[in-house]
Amino acid sequence: GVHGSTFGGNKLAMAVASKTIEIINEESFLADVTNKSLFFKQILNEQLAAKKQVVAIRGMGLMIGIELTIPVVEIVEKLRTNGLLVLGAGEKVLRILPPLTVTKTELEQASQMIQEVIV
């Protein structure tokens, strides 16, 4: 009973999982994710370069951490209020983990929102 789940073994869930793995394994999908990741890091670096609170922007793929000189609790709350879900990773790192299907337009919007709340 310790490994039971609501959707485990369900034919629909297994079909969805199988199709997801098939899509992720397509070269074009992963190339697109890499392209979006580079794009997002570039616009974050451009928009946040002048912010004295920003220590570093780092990450792998679309998993991004923005290290700040200030605690991120208020920034996380302001972004959530404005519709952008982010987390803290420790006291002073803003963690951004968009879905792999995110669009460049959505990444631009996210970057703009982050720029506006880091004063």
Side-chain angles (χ1 to χ4, degrees), residues 27-80:
E27 277 188 47
S28 62
F29 179 80
L30 292 178
D32 187 48
V33 170
T34 300
N35 184 12
K36 288 186 278 190
S37 167
L38 295 171
F39 171 79
F40 193 36
K41 287 176 191 168
Q42 178 184 350
I43 62 174
L44 284 171
N45 279 304
E46 289 171 2
Q47 292 184 344
L48 302 178
K51 303 284 186 177
K52 294 178 183 172
Q53 300 89 338
V54 177
V55 175
I57 300 170
R58 58 181 181 264
M60 180 178 286
L62 284 170
M63 183 172 54
I64 308 287
I66 302 174
E67 184 178 355
L68 303 172
T69 59
I70 57 175
V72 296
V73 174
E74 288 184 30
I75 292 169
V76 168
E77 187 57 37
K78 286 179 184 178
L79 289 170
R80 282 185 186 165

Side-chain angles (χ1 to χ4, degrees), residues 75-104:
I75 292 169
V76 168
E77 187 57 37
K78 286 179 184 178
L79 289 170
R80 282 185 186 165
T81 300
N82 291 325
L84 182 63
L85 298 177
V86 296
L87 295 170
E91 183 182 353
K92 296 184 179 182
V93 177
L94 184 65
R95 183 173 66 159
I96 309 163
L97 189 57
L100 300 180
T101 56
V102 69
T103 65
K104 286 187 175 182

